[in-house]
Amino acid sequence: MYPDFILGSQLNIPRPLPPVTGVLKISTQHRFRYYQNVCTQSYSTVWWDWSRWEQEIDWMALNGINLPLAFNGQEALWQEVYLSLGLNQTDIDQFFTGPAFLAWNRMGNLFQWGGPLPQSWHTKQLYLQFKILDRMRALGMMPVLPAFSGNVPQAITRLFPKANVTKLNPWSHFNCSYSCAYVLDPRDPLFQHIGALFLSQLVKQFGTDHIYNTDTFNEMTPASPDPAYLSAVSRSVFAAMTSVDPQAIWLMQGWLFVHDVDFWKPAQIQALLHGVPIGRMIVLDLFAESTPAFSSTQSFYGQPFIWCMLHNFGGNSGLFGTVESINLGPFEALRYPNSTLVGLGMAPEGIEQNPVVYELMSELAWRKEPVNLGKWVSLYATRRYGNATENLAKAWKHLFQSVYNCTVPHYKNHNRSPLVHRPSLHMPTEVWYDPRDLYEAWKLLYNAAQPLVSVETFRHDLVDVTRQALQLLTAEYYREIRDAFQSQNLSELLMAGGVLVYDLLPELDRLLSSESHFLLGSWLERAHSLALTEQEAQQYDLNARNQITLWGPEGNILDYASKEWGGLVEDYYSQRWSLFVNTLVECLDRGRPFRQEDFNKAVFQVEKGFVFNQRKYPSKPQGDTYDIANRIFLKYYPQALKRLN
């Protein structure tokens, strides 16, 4: 079954249901089936209401998930803790970020950006968390709750001047206006006090299943590489948990070990892990499908671990997968000498994209050996569309041997297409797969489209594969634009730039706007729906727009959470490309060089203009998907083939 929340419904169930003879029992060898990433809370679920959460939790149950993160509502509890310590509301308002950036506030990367949090936010999120926890537990899940990592408001230094608080270096491309967080040393008695205050409040309000997540050094360099220091840190973090809950188990993301390999050598990793008794910590091998850490740490030096597929960064659009790696990896981890594997997990930074990858990964927890990928994806096509047409299975086989089978070592799925990045003359255009396979799948889906376009799952996938084809063609037109400028061929520049700006991108926007799962308006409408006042609505609108574009006040993490959505293509990406092409034409016309720095200043005004334009975008599909897809295919499929030769 494919409910709406995994990108389309297809509930064409045979009547009567096929008979089952005897007892069919399937068990899993994995104690835990984990789900989510601390970033998912900002990139995907931030604006969800209870109805959307209920659907997701039901999907988790249908797929055997029993260990999900449950992070909503924690800021309301932190506010109470900080007020009880003597901080005032201004101190707290200068600490919490806005809703779309809370993941990085919780990890000590950011403060204040997009904030402050309205009191209505706290009330709504607490109410939501109670319902989330009830539903998860009713379905046999063990919700993972947050614990204290040491990240504190600056005002702590005023109230507790003798506390051992360190001001960190800037995070990512931010300066100290919004980063350079303050971290309380876990060995300081105040750490134990604050950690216990928070966890007591948490358990009192939410109950507990005894598993807590905190990430002490997420993308931050510890104060010292001394193993004794690192052991003391993890020992203290764990002590703060067990002082409240003697049965506490610490769930830690293992991202730090692959993010900063220069710092985290074997001695440092072992010291941090062994500060906690063996078996009382579970490490998420977060990016195991690409950069597994278990094999370079002797199975995390004896601590239990969960093999996780990260898959997606930022919730970006674009077809992507590593199906061979995820099909084999969990079984290799099981066979590893003295393996401490206790589960499989899915830890994407953002969801609501590439449902096939998550279907495969969740199913592997119930398999005793890898699947035959060709056979599996053929059956997937039949299930997804309720139709066994051979061409649909062929289309998916082409996708599985190309765009869904990235084998480039350590590849991070950031959607590197020029389409979704600020234009320059030095943009990468390479892809990890043969475009012929993608175009063939596009043709096969197009040929099957007329009778199937009313099936929601098919309509979604037709749009998604067509979008991917136009993404590839955007890279081709970009190359022509760049080459024409560099060879000073004005007519070719005008031709390629004109097609891209005045036809291809507008057609893409029309296509995306015709399908309910590709609408900027839905993202913004959900954000607005959580507001109680016009001021809150404007704040949430800015949060929602900024995160998917500039990601910070100055484009600090520009285009990281890139989406290809109807409305966003027209008013954001197309406007940038139009300015780029016009600037190149003007440079050629006047005999001037193209200066990237000058262009960046000009295009930043376009980008900022989108973030602040307050324009309303449709949250319901506009136009006929088949008519638009048909027009695009007839126009651009021949162009795609021509450019392959």
Side-chain angles (χ1 to χ4, degrees), residues 1-68:
M1 293 191 296
Y2 287 85
D4 173 68
F5 51 97
I6 58 163
L7 308 180
S9 300
Q10 191 291 103
L11 299 172
N12 183 18
I13 299 168
R15 298 175 190 276
L17 290 172
V20 177
T21 55
V23 176
L24 180 62
K25 182 179 179 183
I26 299 173
S27 59
T28 175
Q29 52 206 323
H30 300 289
R31 171 72 182 87
F32 299 112
R33 281 87 61 198
Y34 172 79
Y35 182 51
Q36 284 194 46
N37 178 308
V38 292
C39 297
T40 324
Q41 301 279 316
S42 289
Y43 283 132
S44 293
T45 71
V46 54
W47 312 120
W48 284 7
D49 58 11
W50 167 240
S51 171
R52 181 62 185 84
W53 264 110
E54 185 178 33
Q55 291 176 330
E56 191 75 12
I57 296 166
D58 289 351
W59 177 86
M60 294 180 204
L62 286 167
N63 284 275
I65 304 297
N66 68 352
L67 192 66

Side-chain angles (χ1 to χ4, degrees), residues 33 45 62 115 158 182 232 259 287 294 328 335 346 358 362 378 403 416 448 454 461 465 470 507 532 557 582 605 623:
R33 281 87 61 198
T45 71
L62 286 167
R158 183 185 77 239
Y182 290 79
H259 179 262
F287 197 23
F294 76 87
L328 299 174
R335 293 193 300 269
M346 297 180 283
Y358 299 90
S362 62
S378 296
V403 69
R416 304 173 194 201
S454 60
D461 293 352
V465 172
L470 294 187
E507 287 282 46
L532 290 188
I557 315 180
N582 287 336
Q605 298 308 314

Side-chain angles (χ1 to χ4, degrees), residues 98-159:
F101 303 96
L102 280 173
W104 302 278
N105 182 239
R106 294 163 178 171
M107 291 185 283
N109 307 129
L110 280 183
F111 58 84
Q112 198 175 8
W113 172 243
L117 285 179
Q119 292 307 308
S120 67
W121 174 266
H122 296 310
T123 304
K124 287 192 168 197
Q125 292 300 304
L126 263 183
Y127 173 73
L128 194 54
Q129 176 76 337
F130 291 136
K131 300 192 84 164
I132 288 168
L133 293 171
D134 283 349
R135 185 71 171 174
M136 286 178 171
R137 288 170 177 151
L139 293 170
M141 300 176 197
M142 294 167 281
V144 178
L145 298 172
F148 183 45
S149 68
N151 172 39
V152 291
Q154 181 182 356
I156 288 288
T157 61
R158 183 185 77 239
L159 294 170

